[in-house]
Amino acid sequence: MSRVGKKPVALPDGVKVNINPDAIEVEGPKGKLVSPVPEGIDVKLEDNHLVFKRKAETKQLMAFHGLARSLAHNAVVGVSQGFTRKLEIVGVGYRAKLEKNNLELNLGYSKPVVFPVPEDIEVELEKPTLISIKGIDKQRVGQVARKIRDLRKPDPYKLKGIRFVGERLIKKERKAGVGGA
C-alpha cells in the first residue's frame, strides 16, 4: 500500500469538504478549490479526516492513490493557510517595483520587464530585491514563481539573476583561455 496514500488528511476547523465521485470540493476561509479523484480511488470522510482507499492493486492505481491524497492535502492546506514562494533578485541595479497589477522588474536588459500578475495570485515586495508570491493553489503559486524566475535565470558564473530563497547554486569557474584579470 502507498505510504503517502494511506495517511489520512486532517481537516482543520472552518474547512468544509464535499465529496463527489470524480472530485473533492474543499472550501475554507481563504477560498474554494476542487481536487480531482482518479477512477478506482474511494474517498470517505471519517471523524474529520479524509481517508483514501483503492479498489484494486494495479500499478497505475497505486500511483494514483498517493497522487489523489497529495492533491487533496494541498487543497486543504491551501484554503486554510495558503502557500508562499519567495524569490530574491541578485545583481547590481536589479530590482522590482509593483504597480497596480503589474510587476516591473529591472534585470539588466535595455528596458524593464513588465510581468502581469494573475488575479488568483498575490505578489508582495518585502524589499526591492525580495518578492513574495502567495495564493491558495500550490501548483499555481509555483508556476507563477517559476515564470518570474525564468525572466532572468541565475548566471552560472556570477550568480546574478532571480532565484528562489534558499536555492543552492553552484558557481562555475571562469572559462579557460580567456584573457584579462
Side-chain angles (χ1 to χ4, degrees):
M1 194 166 185
S2 168
R3 281 184 277 180
V4 174
K6 67 182 177 182
K7 290 182 188 174
V9 177
L11 299 176
D13 294 335
V15 175
K16 297 174 190 165
V17 175
N18 184 16
I19 300 171
N20 298 326
D22 61 338
I24 301 170
E25 295 173 7
V26 184
E27 192 171 350
K30 292 201 176 241
K32 184 178 181 180
L33 287 175
V34 177
S35 175
V37 176
E39 242 181 82
I41 303 292
D42 287 331
V43 184
K44 291 188 175 109
L45 186 61
E46 295 177 1
D47 52 277
N48 220 20
H49 286 73
L50 285 174
V51 179
F52 293 82
K53 300 218 188 266
R54 58 180 177 256
K55 294 178 182 174
E57 293 297 317
T58 64
K59 194 171 187 177
Q60 187 71 38
L61 270 183
M62 288 181 194
F64 282 158
H65 188 201
L67 173 71
R69 189 259 178 213
S70 291
L71 291 175
H73 179 262
N74 287 341
V76 168
V77 171
V79 297
S80 60
Q81 300 169 5
F83 292 99
T84 303
R85 286 301 302 241
K86 291 188 179 191
L87 296 168
E88 61 183 339
I89 303 172
V90 178
V92 176
Y94 290 14
R95 64 184 158 275
K97 186 167 54 172
L98 193 60
E99 290 182 5
K100 296 180 186 171
N101 242 8
N102 291 324
L103 182 66
E104 189 176 301
L105 299 156
N106 292 323
L107 301 172
Y109 298 122
S110 61
K111 294 181 182 173
V113 178
V114 178
F115 183 82
V117 179
E119 290 181 17
D120 58 335
I121 299 294
E122 181 184 329
V123 174
E124 293 177 359
L125 289 177
E126 297 175 22
K127 291 190 264 183
T129 58
L130 189 61
I131 304 169
S132 182
I133 301 159
K134 298 178 182 180
I136 62 171
D137 189 353
K138 185 175 185 177
Q139 187 270 336
R140 193 83 172 103
V141 168
Q143 181 182 25
V144 170
R146 190 62 186 201
K147 281 184 181 178
I148 293 172
R149 181 186 184 271
D150 286 346
L151 295 174
R152 185 69 156 201
K153 291 181 184 172
D155 172 41
Y157 298 103
K158 295 183 180 178
L159 302 182
K160 294 183 346 179
I162 302 174
R163 66 177 90 161
F164 294 112
V165 170
E167 180 180 7
R168 265 188 80 214
L169 298 173
I170 299 170
K171 189 173 182 178
K172 285 186 177 180
E173 294 292 323
R174 70 179 180 90
K175 294 178 182 172
V178 176

